[in-house]
Amino acid sequence: MIFLELLWSFMQIGLFSVGGGMAAMPLIQNQVVTLHGWLTLTEFTDLITIAEMTPGPIAVNSATFVGMRIAGLPGALVATAGCILPSCIIVSLLAWLYFRYQNLSIIQGVLGGLRPAVVALIASAGVSILLLALWGEGGFTMNVQDINLIALGLFAAAFAVLRIWKPSPILVMTGCGVLGGILYTLAG
Amino acid sequence: MEKKKSWKVLLQLFVSTFYISAFTFGGGYVIIPLMKKKFADELHWIDDEEMLNLAAIAQSSPGAVAVNASILVGYRVAGVVGAAISILGTVLPPLIIISVISLFYTAFRTNAIVSAVLKGMQSGVAAVVADVVCNLGGKIVKDRDILSVLVMIVAFVANYILGVNVMLIILACGVIGAVRTLFVHGKKEGAK
C-alpha cells in the first residue's frame, strides 16, 4: 500500500531529523532514493535545488514533491502529514510542559543560557545566506572582484531601510525580489 | 477572551503564519526573525525573550524548526486550536508551491526570470536576518551580562566556524544556564 509506505517513511524522517534544515537531507535521501527508489539521484538533486529556491522547510518540500510524483495530490498530503506528525505530538507535549513549568528558576536558568545561543545560531544562518548571496554557489573567496555587486547593493539598501523605517520584512523581501528580477535580467 | 475576538485572533494567526511561511526562504532559522517581527514587534502577542525561548525549544525538538516554532507560537496564542491553525498556515504554502512546481519542474528550474527574482530575494532575506540579529544581539550586549555575551560569541564560533553540531551547542548552553542558576541560588542561600 503506497500511502502507508509514504506515511511511514516520512514519519521516520520527521522523527529523526533533529536540528532541522540540512540535517534532514541524508535521512530523506536514504528513505526516498536508497530504500524505496521513489526518486533517482538526479531527481533528488533537483529536489534539493527546488527546495532551496522555494519557501518552506526542506522536509515538507521533499514530502510534497515525492508524494506528488508517486501518488499525486493525495500522496503529497499523506507524505506531508507523515512528516509533521512526530513534531505535532512531541512539540505539543513540550509546549504544555514549558507553559506549565516555565517559572521554575532552574528552567529559567536553562532558557537564559539558551537565548544567547539561539541568537548566535540565527546569526550563523544569516552569515551563510549573506555569503551565498554575495559570492554565489562557489562560496567565499578573498578576491573582492568576485563579489556580486547587485547582491551587495540590494543587501545594503534593504538593511538600511529596515534599520531606519522598520517596515514589514515581507515588503522588503518582495521589493528585493522585484528589483533583483529587473537588475539581474538587465545585467545578464 | 470573548468568542468573537478569539475568532479574529485565530484568523490573524492563520494569515500571519501563512504569510511568514510563504516567505521563509533558506529554511530553519530564517523563520525566527520573521516570527519575531510579526508576533513580537507588530502584534505584541509574545515578547522577545519568550520568542527566543520558543526558538530554543523548536530547535531541540525533532522535525522542521519552522513547523515546531509555529506549533509553539500557536499554542502560546490560542492553545491546542491555535497550534493546529498555525501548523496549517505553515504547511500550506510549501505544499501548494511544491505541488505546482513538481508538475513542471524542469521548466521552473531553468527559467531565468524566476532565478533572478529568487536571487534578489536572497539579499532581502539576508538583510532581514541581519536586522533581527542586531536587535536581539544588541539587547544581550546592552544587558552587560558577560556570561551571556560570551555564550553568544562562543556559540557562533562553534557553529559557524568550527561546524559543531547544533544539538551539542544547545545542550552545552542549557547546562551552562542550569549550573549558573544553581550557583547563584547557592550563593544566595549562603548569604542568608
Side-chain angles (χ1 to χ4, degrees):
Chain A
M1 175 73 178
I2 189 68
F3 290 111
L4 277 178
E5 269 180 63
L6 276 171
L7 187 74
W8 180 232
S9 281
F10 279 94
M11 267 177 74
Q12 291 175 54
I13 291 168
L15 185 61
F16 292 114
S17 59
V18 182
M22 286 300 142
M25 227 168 65
L27 285 166
I28 299 169
Q29 187 178 359
N30 182 47
Q31 285 290 337
V32 168
V33 182
T34 315
L35 289 180
H36 291 99
W38 284 326
L39 296 182
T40 65
L41 199 57
T42 318
E43 282 175 311
F44 180 73
T45 317
D46 280 341
L47 161 63
I48 298 303
T49 315
I50 293 169
E52 288 279 305
M53 287 167 75
T54 53
I58 194 164
V60 174
N61 287 344
S62 325
T64 308
F65 189 84
V66 173
M68 262 316 255
R69 295 190 77 79
I70 301 302
L73 196 57
L77 292 175
V78 167
T80 305
C83 140
I84 61 168
L85 206 60
S87 289
C88 293
I89 298 167
I90 294 167
V91 178
S92 298
L93 204 72
L94 285 174
W96 183 77
L97 286 171
Y98 166 72
F99 292 114
R100 197 178 159 93
Y101 295 111
Q102 59 174 327
N103 293 324
L104 292 182
S105 69
I106 188 79
I107 301 291
Q108 277 304 319
V110 171
L111 291 168
L114 291 180
R115 278 194 296 268
V118 171
V119 176
L121 293 174
I122 298 174
S124 172
V127 173
S128 307
I129 298 169
L130 183 61
L131 294 188
L132 183 68
L134 295 186
W135 275 277
E137 303 287 339
F140 175 78
T141 61
M142 291 302 280
N143 194 346
V144 184
Q145 283 172 330
D146 290 341
I147 294 180
N148 182 332
L149 288 176
I150 298 178
L152 184 63
L154 280 176
F155 170 77
F159 186 69
V161 166
L162 277 164
R163 295 306 289 178
I164 299 168
W165 289 293
K166 308 192 187 318
S168 152
I170 286 164
L171 208 72
V172 173
M173 287 196 264
T174 318
C176 282
V178 173
L179 277 175
I182 297 166
L183 292 174
Y184 285 117
T185 310
L186 287 178
Chain B
M1 208 181 285
E2 50 180 308
K3 258 273 167 348
K4 205 170 164 195
K5 206 171 169 192
S6 78
W7 273 110
K8 242 170 100 182
V9 167
L10 289 180
L11 183 67
Q12 194 152 33
L13 186 64
F14 177 77
V15 173
S16 303
T17 47
F18 188 91
Y19 248 105
I20 290 172
S21 174
F23 284 90
T24 308
F25 292 85
Y29 270 104
V30 176
I31 202 164
I32 306 295
L34 292 177
M35 284 183 152
K36 176 209 171 305
K37 285 257 171 206
K38 186 80 196 173
F39 296 115
D41 301 350
E42 233 176 88
L43 296 170
H44 303 291
W45 284 352
I46 297 174
D47 63 28
D48 282 2
E49 203 166 275
E50 183 148 53
M51 195 63 235
L52 288 178
N53 290 345
L54 298 183
I57 299 172
Q59 169 65 57
S60 341
S61 314
V65 176
V67 175
N68 296 349
S70 355
I71 296 173
L72 288 160
V73 168
Y75 191 92
R76 166 73 175 72
V77 171
V80 177
V81 181
I85 295 276
S86 49
I87 291 172
L88 203 64
T90 304
V91 170
L92 276 182
L95 189 72
I96 296 167
I97 293 168
I98 297 287
S99 296
V100 173
I101 288 175
S102 75
L103 295 176
F104 43 91
Y105 81 106
T106 36
F108 176 84
R109 200 171 50 112
T110 51
N111 187 301
I113 293 175
V114 169
S115 62
V117 170
L118 290 169
K119 180 87 183 115
M121 293 187 87
Q122 230 171 35
S123 301
V125 174
V128 170
V129 176
D131 176 50
V132 167
V133 169
C134 287
N135 287 340
L136 295 176
K139 213 173 270 175
I140 287 177
V141 172
K142 240 186 258 164
D143 279 348
R144 292 179 183 277
D145 177 350
I146 293 162
L147 188 66
S148 291
V149 176
L150 218 64
V151 163
M152 186 165 71
I153 294 167
V154 172
F156 179 80
V157 172
N159 180 239
Y160 189 74
I161 297 172
L162 306 176
V164 177
N165 186 298
V166 175
M167 286 314 292
L168 267 173
I169 296 174
I170 291 273
L171 207 67
C173 295
V175 171
I176 290 172
V179 169
R180 177 195 205 173
T181 313
L182 292 177
F183 185 70
V184 172
H185 241 61
K187 260 207 316 214
K188 264 187 205 154
E189 300 276 305
K192 270 181 204 167

